[in-house]
């Protein structure tokens, strides 16, 4: 995987349709629109978008932590480098594809060892879920 350059996301490009399909439907992108030709770069964009989007889910973070306990994922320099590389999603031209602000928040937090260690605790995962619910409750209350 080339982690020196993120995949290109150009406004009004097939990337918009690809990103929309990736986070908005469980159907295969090509089933939705046969006119979309997926390049290797498009596939990488979708895979990274899906992974970063999953980070908004505290239960998924807990799953990563449990996998870590078996395979030492969070101690793997390769995985930590990948998390660091994914920070490009915070740039506006990429962040606009992320539906949940928690995805980027948790991506940033995963850079911190203490946070990664806390994810091993199911009560911490529960606290993250409660805080998310409270955030969304406040957000909808003030709209």
């Amino acid at each position: 995987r080339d982690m020196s350059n993120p995949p290109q996301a150009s406004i009004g490009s097939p990337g918009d349709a690809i990103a929309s399909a990736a986070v908005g439907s469980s159907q295969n992108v090509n089933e939705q629109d046969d006119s979309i030709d997926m390049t290797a770069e498009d596939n990488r964009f979708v895979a990274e978008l899906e992974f970063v989007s999953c980070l908004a889910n505290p239960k998924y973070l807990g799953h990563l932590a449990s996998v870590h306990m078996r395979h030492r994922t969070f101690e793997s320099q390769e995985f930590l480098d990948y998390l660091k590389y994914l920070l490009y999603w915070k740039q506006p031209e990429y962040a606009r594809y992320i539906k949940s602000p928690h995805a980027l928040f948790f991506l940033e937090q995963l850079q911190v060892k203490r946070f990664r260690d806390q994810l091993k605790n199911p009560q911490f995962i529960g606290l993250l879920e409660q805080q998310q619910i409270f955030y969304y409750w406040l957000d909808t209350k003030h709209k």
Side-chain angles (χ1 to χ4, degrees):
R1 175 180 302 267
D2 176 19
M3 292 195 302
S4 60
N5 295 314
Q8 296 299 309
S10 57
I11 297 171
S13 72
D16 290 329
I18 293 165
S20 175
V23 296
S25 170
S26 61
Q27 283 185 320
N28 182 311
V29 171
N30 291 325
E31 290 174 10
Q32 282 192 332
D33 184 355
D34 291 331
S35 67
I36 297 175
D37 292 326
M38 297 283 285
T39 65
E41 191 169 285
D42 292 336
N43 286 328
R44 185 171 138 203
F45 177 84
V46 169
E48 291 174 1
L49 172 62
E50 288 177 351
F51 179 74
V52 171
S53 296
C54 286
L55 297 179
N57 182 340
K59 286 194 186 313
Y60 182 69
L61 296 174
H63 169 74
L64 288 177
S66 70
V67 168
H68 155 72
M69 291 192 296
R70 288 192 303 273
H71 303 286
R72 300 283 188 218
T73 308
F74 284 161
E75 293 173 16
S76 158
Q77 191 58 50
E78 184 179 6
F79 185 70
L80 297 176
D81 289 345
Y82 183 62
L83 290 173
K84 190 174 191 176
Y85 155 78
L86 290 173
L87 288 172
Y88 78 83
W89 282 96
K90 293 178 68 182
Q91 298 170 20
E93 64 267 28
Y94 295 97
R96 70 189 191 93
Y97 295 106
I98 303 291
K99 301 296 182 199
S100 172
H102 292 119
L104 296 176
F105 174 77
F106 288 140
L107 174 61
E108 195 168 309
Q109 292 303 303
L110 283 168
Q111 310 299 316
V112 179
K113 183 179 180 350
R114 184 166 183 243
F115 180 79
R116 294 190 307 268
D117 290 343
Q118 288 176 315
L119 291 173
K120 299 172 196 169
N121 181 345
Q123 288 137 347
F124 183 69
I125 299 299
L127 175 65
L128 292 178
E129 289 179 307
Q130 289 174 346
Q131 292 298 311
Q132 249 183 352
I133 291 167
F134 185 65
Y135 169 85
Y136 286 121
W137 178 78
L138 281 177
D139 189 48
T140 58
K141 187 176 179 180
H142 291 103
K143 283 187 177 185

